[in-house]
């Protein structure tokens, strides 16, 4: 009934048009097979856009839940099932509109699905193969089996192909087997149950007892045998570092410096060193840290990473973003002679380089310290401190070429993990740069510093150093010279110490700020201070003399200044954000974040003309990006229509002297006119077409007659010219495919061609405009100058533009509905104004005048 009603309305309108002089035959429009195929392609495209929105929205919801820590692994599995099901349909829609040219994407998606699901599923491929696995088989997906340090390093080695030591992981399965075989779980749970952050003596005694239980236990023969098999593959004559790699370590919460790393271990001592690292999970500071963060013991199984020892000439830390000044877009690199431990525990003040992220890591400033000691490998095992030769103490420990290599590596790692990174590195005795570990860098922004809020009379700077952790805090000064003093540390005091010992982690729930005489922004203590939101100032000279006679101070972690008494308003001091300890389940978050790297990470930031191979598409986000890009290009191509298409309706207007051949695929024409051969602009209800029409029909745009240029006083740089448009009332032809929110517009005016392909709807995610312009009747120089005119106009309206000779390719993405309509109206005006300007623009100076005139609304180019 609805179809007959529409036919009746169309016949009534048709009889009115029948009286006009330029009439069409009595036949109504009958869609042909080509129209049906075209319409089917558009519906596939529309379905694809809906799924694009659904996928992006789901990814956004998951990321929000991860940040709020409200998601669980079962919930993630449910989300993932929805994501992969929708992605399958998403790819199917693309194949429906492209004659199945992208079937390979189904295989790509399945591989991504298998990788992601392997992370969240209970059974592990690695664990099923034993207790030990080599580094060259480890990647981010193995985080729940190998822990944060090993999975990150495996990803760097196997995916990014950056230099790392050889090594292997003793996985969490080995830890669980070791604990179960020695019946340790129940004993440890009983010792941990009564502990709280305030029970210092209880923490100490529990730690000592648990460490004793572990060191007295035997490593099961199967685990020990697999460890030694991997050791011998690397070499029985080699030395090894045996390092912690707990699940959750080196993630959002770092455990920086809280677990042991045993260095320069002989092959026959690796198994014993393995037990030492397991025992360090229950060290005093590690227990305190875990209590402060409310991390359950069972949620943090300990894997251990065994690496071939690097005999380092120099070593240090690279922060890919300076945490002391995150707004300045700088990186910071620290370096010392020998092994890197002294760089991260604050024993030695390292050489420090500030690097410019905006200038490919160029050195902004450097500070070369006096390095009087270094750690070197001891032939008998472990490491020993030796004096640095006098002629090397004030010499830079790293060359500019090595800095450049490290910065490049850091950029690669940061892009891959999608976050600023804390990277430990070494340069070996042969000059090779090696990555030892990488973890997310804790960076936060704070309000402006206290001294900026204080009155001049109130300012009394008593000491200065370097910012290691930002923020402002006030409190009485309390000097910490010995570890035992921590037990009596008054809550809210400012801790002042000689060096940045990892033991001071136990102050994090008590101290309002830390002031350290020697140290580095890249030390473990600084990392933990940033995690807890504690202001920290380092390298404060003569700390006892400066602060010794003062009762209380204000510590400004933003500037590194320390003021006597309270400085600034109370509201400023109390407004500083503090990281509140929270219930946080490490294993779950580690698994979730590792799985999401296969879903949200974007490798295809750009898609080149050369195309994309299946290997370039490694995540769901890559799939979304690729499919959406290809679908838009496919829709761009459907505008290649012929004038005699049987399904085209004709629109003719006195205002715009073009004959429009219109194909409505869905809602672009009012119901009453759907079967009319001839249309008026009143029949069009396509949002993007109407926006384009408003520009083309603008009263200031002249479509007919000559383009007259009379520049008067500018005659020295601009010639008078009169140019015919080549467009008459019955001249140019435009071919248009429309829907309520889509347009594909192709037009030939005289000797040049333009194509506009656009989507304009309520969702800014789907909105885009693609515009092409090329050709002309003038010589090459004239056509190229007009192309530059169009480039500069469209760039002024926010388009991304590329020019190749006389070809202009412009694109705009992600604008609101109103903004997209505004840009389409501009293109409509530009089409009318740019007609045969290739003949009128005689020089670059003339081009500049035309650009200025258009942007000022002088569309007739009147002088």
């Amino acid at each position: 009934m609805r179809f007959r009603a529409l036919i009746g309305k169309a016949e009534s309108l048709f009889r009115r048009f029948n009286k006009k002089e330029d009439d069409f035959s009595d036949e109504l429009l009958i869609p042909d097979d080509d129209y049906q195929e075209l319409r089917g392609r558009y519906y596939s495209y529309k379905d694809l856009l809906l799924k694009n929105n659904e996928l992006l929205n789901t990814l956004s919801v998951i990321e929000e839940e991860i940040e709020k820590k409200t998601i669980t692994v079962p919930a993630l599995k449910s989300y993932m099932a929805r994501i992969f099901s929708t992605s399958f349909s998403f790819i199917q829609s693309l194949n429906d509109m492209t004659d199945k040219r992208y079937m390979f994407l189904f295989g790509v998606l399945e591989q991504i699905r298998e990788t992601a699901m392997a992370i969240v599923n209970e059974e592990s491929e690695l664990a099923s193969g034993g207790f030990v696995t080599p580094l060259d088989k480890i990647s981010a997906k193995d985080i729940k089996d190998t822990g944060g340090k090993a999975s990150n390093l495996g990803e760097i080695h196997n995916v990014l192909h950056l230099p790392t030591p050889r090594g292997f992981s003793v996985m969490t399965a080995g830890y669980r087997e070791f604990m179960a075989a020695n019946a340790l779980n129940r004993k440890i749970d009983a010792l941990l149950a009564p502990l709280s952050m305030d029970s210092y003596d209880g923490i100490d005694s529990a730690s000592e007892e648990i460490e004793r239980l572990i060191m007295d236990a035997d490593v099961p023969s199967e685990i020990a045998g697999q460890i030694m098999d991997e050791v011998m593959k690397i070499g029985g004559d080699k030395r090894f570092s045996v390092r912690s790699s707990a699940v959750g370590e080196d993630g959002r919460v770092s455990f920086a410096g809280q677990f042991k790393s045993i260095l320069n271990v002989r092959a026959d001592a690796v198994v014993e060193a393995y037990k030492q690292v397991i025992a360090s999970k229950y060290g005093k500071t590690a227990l305190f840290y875990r209590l402060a963060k409310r991390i359950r013991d069972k949620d943090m199984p300990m894997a251990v990473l065994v690496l071939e020892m690097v005999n380092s000439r120099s070593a240090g830390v690279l922060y890919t973003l300076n945490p002391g000044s995150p707004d300045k877009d700088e990186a910071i690199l620290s370096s010392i002679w020998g092994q890197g431990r002294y760089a991260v525990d604050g024993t030695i003040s390292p050489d420090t380089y500030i690097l410019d992220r905006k200038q490919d890591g160029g050195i902004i400033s450097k500070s070369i310290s006096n390095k009087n000691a270094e750690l070197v490998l001891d032939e008998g095992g472990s490491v020993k401190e030796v004096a640095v030769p006098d002629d090397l103490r004030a010499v830079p420990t790293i060359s500019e070429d090595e800095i450049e290599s490290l910065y490049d590596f850091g950029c690669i790692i940061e892009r891959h993990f999608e976050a600023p990174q804390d990277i430990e590195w070494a340069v070996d005795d042969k000059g090779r740069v090696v990555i030892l570990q990488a973890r997310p860098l804790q960076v936060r922004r704070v309000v402006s510093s206290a001294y900026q809020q204080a009155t001049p009379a109130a300012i009394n700077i008593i000491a200065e150093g370097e910012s290691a952790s930002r923020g402002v805090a006030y409190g009485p000064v309390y000097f910490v010279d010995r570890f035992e003093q921590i037990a009596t540390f008054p809550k809210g005091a400012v801790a002042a110490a000689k060096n940045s010992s990892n033991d001071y982690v136990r102050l994090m729930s008590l101290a309002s700020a830390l002031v350290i005489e020697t140290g580095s922004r890249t030390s473990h203590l600084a990392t933990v201070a940033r995690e807890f939101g504690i202001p920290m100032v380092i390298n404060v000279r003569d700390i006892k003399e400066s602060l010794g006679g003062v009762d209380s101070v204000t510590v400004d972690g933003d500037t590194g200044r320390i003021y006597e008494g309270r400085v600034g308003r109370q509201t400023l001091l109390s407004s500083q954000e503090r990281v509140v300890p929270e219930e946080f389940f490490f294993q779950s978050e580690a698994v979730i974040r590792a799985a999401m790297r296969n879903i949200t990470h974007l490798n295809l930031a750009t898609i080149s003309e050369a195309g994309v191979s299946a290997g370039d598409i490694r995540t769901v986000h890559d799939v979304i990006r690729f499919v959406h890009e290809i679908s838009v290009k496919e829709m761009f191509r459907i505008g290649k229509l012929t004038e005699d298409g049987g399904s085209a309706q004709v629109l003719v207007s006195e205002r715009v002297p073009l004959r429009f051949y219109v194909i409505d695929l869905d809602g672009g024409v009012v119901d009453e006119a759907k079967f009319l051969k001839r249309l008026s602009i009143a029949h069009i209800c396509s949002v993007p077409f109407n926006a384009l029409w408003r520009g083309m029909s603008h009263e200031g745009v002249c479509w007919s007659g000559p383009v007259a240029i009379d520049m008067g006083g500018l005659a020295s740089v601009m010639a008078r010219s009169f140019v015919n448009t080549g467009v008459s009332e019955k001249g140019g032809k435009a071919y248009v495919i429309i829907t309520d929110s889509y347009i594909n517009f192709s037009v030939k005016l005289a000797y040049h061609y333009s194509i506009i392909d656009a989507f304009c709807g309520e969702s800014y995610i789907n909105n885009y405009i693609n515009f092409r312009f090329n050709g002309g009747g003038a010589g090459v120089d004239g056509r190229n100058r007009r192309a530059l005119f169009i480039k500069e106009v469209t760039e002024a309206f926010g388009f991304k533009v590329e020019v190749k000779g006389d070809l202009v390719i412009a694109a705009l993405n992600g604008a609101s509905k109103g903004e997209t309509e505004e840009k389409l109206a501009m293109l409509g005006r530009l089409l009318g104004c740019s007609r045969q300007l290739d003949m009128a623009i005689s020089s670059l100076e003339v081009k500049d005048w035309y650009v200025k005139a258009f942007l000022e609304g002088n569309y007739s180019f009147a002088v």
Side-chain angles (χ1 to χ4, degrees):
M1 292 299 292
R2 174 172 169 75
F3 182 82
R4 290 182 180 177
L6 289 175
I7 291 291
K9 291 180 181 180
E11 287 175 339
S12 175
L13 284 173
F14 179 78
R15 282 192 290 273
R16 296 181 203 170
F17 280 117
N18 211 24
K19 298 177 182 179
K20 293 186 177 290
E21 180 180 349
D22 189 15
D23 193 17
F24 290 82
S25 67
D26 289 347
E27 291 184 17
L28 295 175
L29 179 73
I30 305 298
D32 57 16
D33 291 342
D34 290 339
Y35 171 82
Q36 298 300 340
E37 181 181 345
L38 203 59
R39 199 165 190 234
R41 182 178 298 188
Y42 171 73
Y43 277 127
S44 294
Y45 179 59
K46 188 173 182 180
D47 185 60
L48 183 149
L49 293 180
L50 291 173
K51 289 182 171 62
N52 180 76
N53 288 359
E54 182 181 343
L55 284 167
L56 293 176
N57 182 63
T58 302
L59 297 187
S60 176
V61 169
I62 295 174
E63 289 178 328
E64 184 177 348
E65 288 197 24
I66 289 174
E67 290 306 311
K68 291 180 178 178
K69 297 174 290 297
T70 57
I71 195 169
T72 62
V73 171
L76 178 62
K77 288 182 181 180
S78 177
Y79 278 124
M80 288 170 63
R82 185 195 311 173
I83 287 170
F84 287 109
S85 175
T86 305
S87 297
F88 185 93
S89 300
F90 186 57
I91 294 171
Q92 185 62 57
S93 295
L94 178 65
N95 280 287
D96 288 344
M97 62 184 289
T98 60
D99 299 323
K100 296 181 170 52
R101 292 203 306 275
Y102 296 95
M103 296 295 287
F104 75 93
L105 288 172
F106 289 115
V108 171
L109 181 68
E110 179 59 19
Q111 185 173 358
I112 296 169
R113 190 194 70 81
E114 289 178 356
T115 302
M117 293 305 295
I119 297 171
V120 297
N121 286 336
E122 294 300 324
E123 293 301 321
S124 164
E125 294 179 9
L126 290 182
S128 64
F131 301 111
V132 174
T133 192
L135 186 67
D136 58 15
K137 292 185 179 179
I138 297 172
S139 65
K141 66 181 176 60
D142 304 311
I143 190 168
K144 69 177 182 178
D145 297 311
T146 64
K149 191 179 275 95
S151 65
N152 288 350
L153 195 64
E155 189 85 354
I156 290 167
H157 178 79
N158 299 309
V159 178
L160 302 183
H161 305 294
L162 298 181
T164 69
R166 294 184 294 174
F168 60 91
S169 168
V170 188
M171 297 181 292
T172 55
Y175 165 80
R176 293 189 178 97
E177 178 65 18
F178 169 75
M179 299 293 277
N182 291 280
L184 294 175
N185 289 313
R186 186 173 297 178
K187 297 174 185 177
I188 291 174
D189 288 344
L191 289 166
L192 295 179
L195 299 183
S196 69
M197 285 191 297
D198 298 327
S199 54
Y200 291 99
D201 292 340
I203 290 174
D204 291 350
S205 61
S207 171
E208 292 171 3
E209 178 62 15
I210 295 171
E211 287 182 327
R212 184 192 63 76
L213 288 171
I214 290 172
M215 294 310 299
D216 287 346
D218 293 324
V219 176
S221 58
E222 189 175 358
I223 298 174
Q226 290 184 24
I227 289 174
M228 292 310 300
D229 286 346
E230 290 298 326
V231 165
M232 298 311 293
K233 287 178 185 177
I234 295 173
D237 59 338
K238 302 293 184 182
R239 296 296 178 93
F240 298 86
S241 67
V242 185
R243 317 184 76 188
S244 65
S245 183
V247 173
E249 182 184 3
D250 287 354
R252 191 174 65 87
V253 180
S254 67
F255 270 81
Q258 304 311 300
F259 303 135
K260 279 189 178 179
S261 290
I262 317 298
L263 304 180
N264 199 28
V265 179
R266 298 189 312 272
D268 59 3
V270 170
V271 173
E272 186 68 12
Y274 168 70
K275 284 201 301 181
Q276 289 180 261
V277 174
I278 294 293
S280 73
K281 177 187 173 184
Y282 302 96
K284 296 171 184 177
T285 58
L287 277 182
F288 177 85
Y289 185 101
R290 214 158 69 225
L291 287 166
K293 292 292 183 179
R294 297 184 183 176
I295 303 164
R296 300 182 305 184
D297 185 56
K298 70 176 183 178
D299 290 314
M300 199 171 188
M302 176 67 82
V304 174
L305 177 61
V306 181
L307 298 174
E308 182 180 353
M309 191 68 204
V310 177
N311 187 14
S312 57
R313 181 208 74 205
S314 53
V317 177
L318 170 65
Y319 283 174
T320 61
L321 184 66
N322 186 350
S325 305
D327 299 329
K328 290 185 178 180
D329 211 15
E330 299 170 346
I332 181 171
L333 183 145
S334 65
S335 177
I336 60 171
W337 293 121
Q339 296 297 314
R341 179 185 291 171
Y342 277 1
V344 296
D345 68 10
T347 302
I348 297 292
S349 292
D351 297 341
T352 303
Y353 296 82
I354 304 298
L355 310 179
D356 192 342
R357 287 165 57 99
K358 299 187 292 295
Q359 299 293 329
D360 296 325
I363 298 173
I364 297 173
S365 65
K366 59 184 176 182
S367 173
I368 307 303
S369 67
N370 184 38
K371 304 162 289 291
N372 58 4
E374 63 175 316
L375 284 180
V376 299
L377 303 186
D378 188 349
E379 290 184 6
S382 192
V383 292
K384 63 181 179 180
E385 180 182 305
V386 299
V388 174
D390 291 342
D391 60 342
L392 291 179
R393 292 187 178 187
V395 173
T397 51
I398 186 171
S399 71
E400 292 193 7
D401 286 344
E402 290 161 350
I403 291 173
E404 183 178 346
S405 294
L406 272 168
Y407 180 78
D408 289 343
F409 291 168
C411 290
I412 293 169
I413 295 169
E414 179 182 278
R415 283 196 298 269
H416 183 73
F417 289 108
E418 297 183 308
Q421 295 290 301
D422 169 357
I423 298 168
E424 292 186 22
W425 56 269
V427 178
D428 67 16
D429 51 3
K430 297 179 181 178
R432 189 178 71 129
V433 177
V434 180
I435 303 300
L436 301 178
Q437 74 174 60
R439 59 179 167 227
L441 178 62
Q442 307 299 326
V443 179
R444 70 187 185 99
R445 302 180 188 274
V446 297
V447 298
S448 57
S449 56
Y451 80 94
Q452 294 172 320
Q453 303 291 334
T455 61
I459 295 178
N460 181 18
I461 301 172
I462 59 173
E464 287 191 70
E466 300 173 23
S467 170
S469 178
R470 301 185 73 183
V472 179
Y474 163 82
V477 178
Y478 188 89
F479 286 94
V480 182
D481 299 313
R482 302 181 310 280
F483 176 74
E484 292 76 14
Q485 291 176 287
I486 295 175
T488 58
F489 188 90
K491 190 173 181 64
V494 172
K498 192 78 174 174
N499 57 52
S500 51
S501 168
N502 289 330
D503 289 336
Y504 299 151
V505 167
R506 298 182 71 171
L507 294 172
M508 293 302 170
S509 65
L510 299 171
S512 61
L514 301 175
V515 180
I516 309 295
E517 184 162 314
T518 63
S520 167
R521 279 170 281 189
T522 56
S523 69
H524 288 320
L525 188 66
T527 297
V528 177
R530 288 190 291 272
E531 289 176 14
F532 278 82
I534 305 293
M536 178 174 169
V537 176
I538 58 172
N539 293 328
V540 179
R541 293 183 179 179
D542 303 321
I543 191 169
K544 285 212 169 182
E545 289 76 5
S546 301
L547 277 62
V550 179
D551 292 332
S552 62
V553 295
T554 297
V555 178
D556 185 351
D558 294 357
T559 65
R561 294 176 177 174
I562 296 129
Y563 306 91
E564 182 176 4
R566 183 186 293 272
V567 175
R569 297 175 303 191
Q570 174 62 28
T571 53
L572 175 70
L573 291 172
S574 63
S575 68
Q576 302 306 306
E577 293 183 6
R578 295 292 300 273
V579 177
V580 179
E582 61 219 357
E583 191 73 27
F584 194 66
F585 301 114
F586 274 88
Q587 186 171 7
S588 295
E589 192 198 37
V591 169
I592 289 166
R593 289 190 180 276
M596 289 302 291
R597 282 192 196 134
N598 296 278
I599 296 173
T600 56
H601 185 79
L602 181 62
N603 303 292
L604 296 179
T606 58
I607 297 178
S608 67
E609 291 290 332
V612 174
S613 68
D616 296 325
I617 305 171
R618 302 196 294 272
T619 68
V620 171
H621 203 166
D622 288 343
V623 171
I624 296 170
R625 174 80 175 84
F626 179 76
V627 170
H628 187 266
E629 178 92 0
I630 294 302
S631 67
V632 169
K633 289 181 177 179
E634 289 293 330
M635 291 304 289
F636 194 90
R637 296 189 184 102
I638 71 171
K640 297 179 179 179
L641 306 174
T642 58
E643 179 181 348
D644 57 359
S647 300
Q649 297 171 281
V650 179
L651 169 65
V652 177
S653 168
E654 294 180 359
R655 184 70 193 89
V656 181
L658 294 172
R659 187 171 293 250
F660 297 85
Y661 294 87
V662 180
I663 293 181
D664 172 32
L665 298 181
D666 184 21
V669 173
V670 297
D671 287 349
E672 293 83 355
K674 285 187 179 298
F675 299 101
L676 292 180
K677 269 288 189 178
R678 176 167 177 152
L679 299 173
S680 73
I681 189 61
H683 295 139
I684 305 296
C685 53
S686 169
V687 171
F689 185 94
N690 283 329
L692 186 66
W693 181 267
R694 283 195 297 275
M696 290 190 293
S697 60
H698 190 282
E699 60 182 7
V701 177
C702 297
W703 284 89
S704 300
V707 177
I709 314 296
D710 186 355
M711 301 311 300
L714 295 179
S716 60
V717 294
M718 306 185 76
R720 177 183 177 87
S721 62
F722 296 90
V723 182
N724 288 319
T725 68
V727 179
S728 64
E729 279 198 27
K730 297 183 180 180
K733 300 173 183 177
Y735 303 102
V736 191
I737 297 172
I738 58 173
T739 73
D740 56 347
S741 53
Y742 173 76
I743 184 172
N744 186 287
F745 175 91
S746 305
V747 63
K748 178 179 182 292
L749 292 172
Y751 299 101
H752 71 263
Y753 300 85
S754 297
I755 302 175
I756 296 171
D757 187 83
F759 195 95
C760 181
E762 296 298 334
S763 173
Y764 72 91
I765 295 173
N766 292 331
N767 291 342
Y768 69 87
I769 303 173
N770 287 331
F771 171 59
R772 284 180 181 245
F773 183 104
N774 71 294
V780 172
D781 290 343
R783 298 199 307 271
N784 290 352
R785 284 191 288 268
R786 177 171 59 181
L788 291 175
F789 160 76
I790 294 172
K791 172 182 183 291
E792 292 178 23
V793 168
T794 50
E795 280 183 335
F797 280 85
F799 283 76
K800 181 180 179 181
V801 188
E802 181 181 2
V803 173
K804 300 177 181 178
D806 66 357
L807 171 63
V808 181
I809 303 172
L812 182 79
N813 294 288
S816 67
K817 180 182 177 184
E819 290 172 326
T820 304
E821 290 182 79
E822 176 189 337
K823 311 306 184 194
L824 285 167
M826 180 277 295
L827 289 180
R829 298 191 297 271
L830 188 62
L831 289 176
C833 293
S834 62
R835 56 191 175 87
Q836 294 196 355
L837 285 187
D838 54 331
M839 298 181 183
I841 301 178
S842 57
S843 69
L844 292 177
E845 288 86 352
V846 174
K847 178 265 298 177
D848 292 340
W849 185 89
Y850 275 105
V851 171
K852 184 173 183 291
F854 185 93
L855 296 179
E856 290 176 348
N858 181 7
Y859 304 127
S860 61
F861 302 122
V863 180

